[in-house]
Amino acid sequence: MQRDQHTLERHIGERIRRRRAECGLTQQQLAQAIETSYQQLQKYENGSNRISAEKLYRLGRRLGVPTNYFLDGFEDGEAAAEPGHTARERAMIELVRSFGDLKAPRVRVALAALVKAVAERQA
């Protein structure tokens, strides 16, 4: 049972980290929003500390997701995500965030065409 608890806590922490990154928030910004220290938020995100229902609720409200979002993908004591999946998602989030910062429409169109061509060649 102890191992399953830590697995669940790590899963919830990864879901918090992922959603925080999607929202473009730093740990400091999110910690302030839920009235905790950024060190405590770090412990939540790496799964070393258990998070209360109240904090989970506050996180959901601040991150714009229902509370059950943090449990999605957790089945039978194991996280459903494949190894390396979170690193790929982080790279995609960063790419989208940077793409949105591009000012020139022609550059965005050209870059989108390049990414599409590379992806099609790998298929």
Side-chain angles (χ1 to χ4, degrees), residues 4 8 27 40 77 115:
D4 288 348
L8 177 59
Q27 286 181 331
Q40 183 61 49
V115 171

Side-chain angles (χ1 to χ4, degrees), residues 30-98:
L30 184 55
Q32 286 176 344
I34 65 166
E35 299 176 0
T36 194
S37 68
Y38 79 91
Q39 294 95 334
Q40 183 61 49
L41 182 63
Q42 285 177 331
K43 291 176 183 180
Y44 292 151
E45 287 188 356
N46 70 29
S48 62
N49 279 16
R50 188 177 287 177
I51 185 166
S52 71
E54 177 189 0
K55 291 288 187 202
L56 206 57
Y57 174 77
R58 285 184 185 187
L59 282 164
R61 288 187 50 99
R62 177 58 184 94
L63 296 173
V65 294
T67 306
N68 65 334
Y69 165 86
F70 302 108
L71 299 174
D72 287 350
F74 188 81
E75 301 166 4
D76 300 325
E78 295 296 326
E82 61 194 64
H85 187 64
T86 57
R88 181 179 48 179
E89 284 182 350
R90 287 181 191 153
M92 287 176 15
I93 291 165
E94 189 60 36
L95 179 64
V96 169
R97 203 178 283 144
S98 297

